[in-house]
Amino acid sequence: MNVNELNLRKILDSRTNYTVEAEINNEKASAPSGASTGTHEAKCFVPEHLNDIENLLTKLEGLDLTQKEFDQKLKELDGTDDFSRIGGAAIASSFAFKKASEFEHSNKFPLPLSNVIGGGEHGGNTSIQEFLVLPVNAESFPEAIETNRSIYQELKERYSRRIQGINDEGALITSMDDEQTLKALKKVAEKYDAAIGVDVAASEFYEDGKYKLTSLGIEHDAEGQLDFIEHLIEAFDLKFVEDPFDQEDFKMHAKLAKKFPDTLICGDDLFTTNKDRLSEGIENEACNSLIVKPNQIGTVSDAEETVELAKSNDYVPVISHRSGETCDATISDLALEWECPIIKAGIADIRIAKLNQLLRLWDEMENPELKSF
Ligand code: PGA
Ligand code: ZN
């Protein structure tokens, strides 16, 4: 595609922070941002002198490039190995280029994995960051949305006296601790025939060799954390467990994955959408699933290579939003193009942009179907 015009600007995100929007050939896209970021992520900040970065990237105007060539040029212009110079302008521009050159949608839709109760770095009283629902028995994308929506609304009503607000991802903040939350969630999810899971985001409370779950008054080492996670999987029949251990600990993830082959043991901070990190995980048999956040690696084509590597090794790719978001729905389109069987994109507030895009695409698609995993 020919890059006729490229512009950058600052826009607001869901935390009322600034983020970068890129516009290429009249298509706009923006950079999301994380609060519980992994150590190995590409940098995704708003450059202080955005005009200078825009001048740098306008060198690409007039060039006829493929997505991979465009992304490669972004890396060359940045000149660092983690986008330390152009920050969020990388993923915003890469997304905008992809949108301007159009998507190749398949008819395979992802299941929505929705954060309905939250804590940790996103705000809330639990040490576990996200309590999630996965509508595994839905037969269509709209039915899957209806399941997650109903669970969210019912939790809000049934536990109204224990709900204190909503957090960064639109998930409910409750006065319940982690185990009470799982008990409540299991009860409501069962009513709607949905599976449940968690994003532990354990690196956020790992310090000096100890996992410190302050909400439960628990402090233990890696073996203690393994026992605790095993207990949660068994007691609450968890089908999805993300980042149960520290982001450098491939070995403990492997122990857990070996014991629970029917639960998705998913690496987010562990892999940071990075192909080399995923290769290390595959060698160690660390997980059976990974989170795909394109801004963790900085470009669409790098994220796509990671997805391909995951698929060829039977890892389930879960494409995901960040806690800091805009109305950009690029990941919804990418979910169809890459045939990701699951999308993690919340169920409330600004997150509906991603879900509504998939509802529209479902409506427009001939013979749409849910992708199995
Ligand atoms: P983040 O959290 O976007 O704040 O990093 C989301 C997640 O950990 O999955
Ligand atoms: Zn996560």
Side-chain angles (χ1 to χ4, degrees):
M1 186 191 75
N2 199 67
V3 182
N4 301 326
E5 196 179 354
L6 187 155
N7 296 106
L8 299 179
R9 64 180 65 88
K10 285 200 303 190
I11 62 166
L12 292 170
D13 75 4
S14 55
R15 280 193 272 255
T16 323
N17 291 327
Y18 285 111
T19 190
V20 184
E21 178 174 85
E23 185 167 350
I24 296 179
N25 303 356
N26 298 323
E27 286 290 346
K28 300 181 192 72
S30 49
S33 64
S36 68
T37 47
T39 310
H40 303 279
E41 292 194 22
K43 302 291 175 285
C44 195
F45 55 92
V46 182
E48 198 181 334
H49 302 289
L50 194 59
N51 276 347
D52 294 347
I53 303 301
E54 186 181 60
N55 289 337
L56 181 72
L57 298 194
T58 50
K59 289 186 178 151
L60 301 176
E61 287 179 350
L63 300 182
D64 191 15
L65 302 167
T66 62
Q67 180 80 44
K68 201 168 164 58
E69 288 165 347
F70 178 83
D71 291 343
Q72 184 55 34
K73 294 270 183 212
L74 287 177
K75 289 187 210 174
E76 286 164 17
L77 290 173
D78 176 86
T80 70
D81 58 9
D82 59 0
F83 289 117
S84 290
R85 184 172 180 201
I86 70 171
I91 193 63
S93 303
S94 185
F95 273 172
F97 185 94
K98 180 72 188 165
K99 282 171 101 166
S101 46
E102 291 187 1
F103 294 98
E104 289 172 33
H105 291 140
S106 74
N107 68 337
K108 305 275 189 302
F109 281 69
L111 268 188
L113 175 66
S114 299
N115 180 9
V116 287
I117 299 177
E121 290 297 302
H122 296 162
N125 300 312
T126 56
S127 295
I128 291 175
Q129 181 178 281
E130 298 168 24
F131 297 86
L132 301 148
V133 289
L134 188 64
V136 283
N137 292 303
E139 284 178 5
S140 69
F141 187 77
E143 200 183 306
I145 290 295
E146 175 55 18
T147 301
N148 292 5
R149 191 194 75 82
S150 303
I151 294 170
Y152 182 74
Q153 300 290 18
E154 181 153 342
L155 284 167
K156 217 155 89 172
E157 276 167 36
R158 235 204 240 207
Y159 299 94
S160 59
R161 279 183 299 143
R162 308 205 67 173
I163 287 168
Q164 302 169 325
I166 57 166
N167 75 4
D168 277 7
E169 293 199 350
L172 305 170
I173 294 174
T174 80
S175 55
M176 294 183 266
D177 69 25
D178 302 68
E179 295 219 27
Q180 290 166 335
T181 299
L182 279 169
K183 209 169 149 195
L185 182 62
K186 185 164 187 276
K187 199 187 291 172
V188 177
E190 266 171 5
K191 179 173 161 191
Y192 294 94
D193 224 2
I196 65 171
V198 288
D199 179 2
V200 183
S203 298
E204 300 301 326
F205 55 81
Y206 181 71
E207 212 186 313
D208 304 326
K210 295 270 185 230
Y211 292 89
K212 300 179 179 172
L213 293 106
T214 45
S215 62
L216 290 167
I218 294 175
E219 188 174 315
H220 49 215
D221 62 8
E223 286 297 332
Q225 178 74 353
L226 179 64
D227 290 344
F228 174 67
I229 299 292
E230 286 184 6
H231 154 69
L232 294 185
I233 294 175
E234 283 162 358
F236 301 102
D237 194 21
L238 304 181
K239 296 294 182 215
F240 177 89
V241 177
E242 179 178 335
D243 283 349
F245 300 100
D246 178 61
Q247 60 197 321
E248 306 300 345
D249 199 341
F250 287 96
K251 295 262 160 8
M252 292 308 283
H253 282 88
K255 274 192 183 181
L256 187 70
K258 193 164 183 200
K259 186 147 185 208
F260 296 97
D262 296 330
T263 294
L264 292 176
I265 307 297
C266 184
D268 171 14
D269 294 347
L270 184 70
F271 299 133
T272 56
T273 316
N274 182 310
K275 214 173 54 171
D276 299 333
R277 300 273 306 169
L278 178 60
S279 297
E280 200 176 335
I282 291 165
E283 264 169 45
N284 283 282
E285 299 179 7
C287 293
N288 51 30
S289 174
L290 87 159
I291 290 286
V292 178
K293 293 169 170 167
N295 83 321
Q296 284 182 326
I297 193 72
T299 71
V300 168
S301 38
D302 283 293
E304 184 173 10
E305 280 185 27
T306 304
V307 169
E308 291 311 320
L309 179 65
K311 283 184 182 168
S312 56
N313 287 278
D314 293 327
Y315 267 55
V316 175
V318 177
I319 198 162
S320 170
H321 67 163
R322 303 303 308 251
S323 52
E325 270 296 345
T326 68
C327 295
D328 189 298
T330 307
I331 61 162
S332 303
D333 293 273
L334 290 175
L336 286 202
E337 179 159 326
W338 296 345
E339 297 192 7
C340 295
I342 303 177
I343 184 168
K344 185 162 86 132
I347 189 66
D349 72 29
I350 202 167
R351 283 131 230 299
I352 62 169
K354 275 92 175 151
L355 307 177
N356 287 345
Q357 173 70 354
L358 286 163
L359 285 169
R360 284 183 210 107
L361 289 167
W362 180 276
D363 190 43
E364 288 162 11
M365 181 79 59
E366 252 179 65
N367 303 321
E369 52 186 68
L370 288 172
K371 169 118 181 99
S372 59
F373 60 90

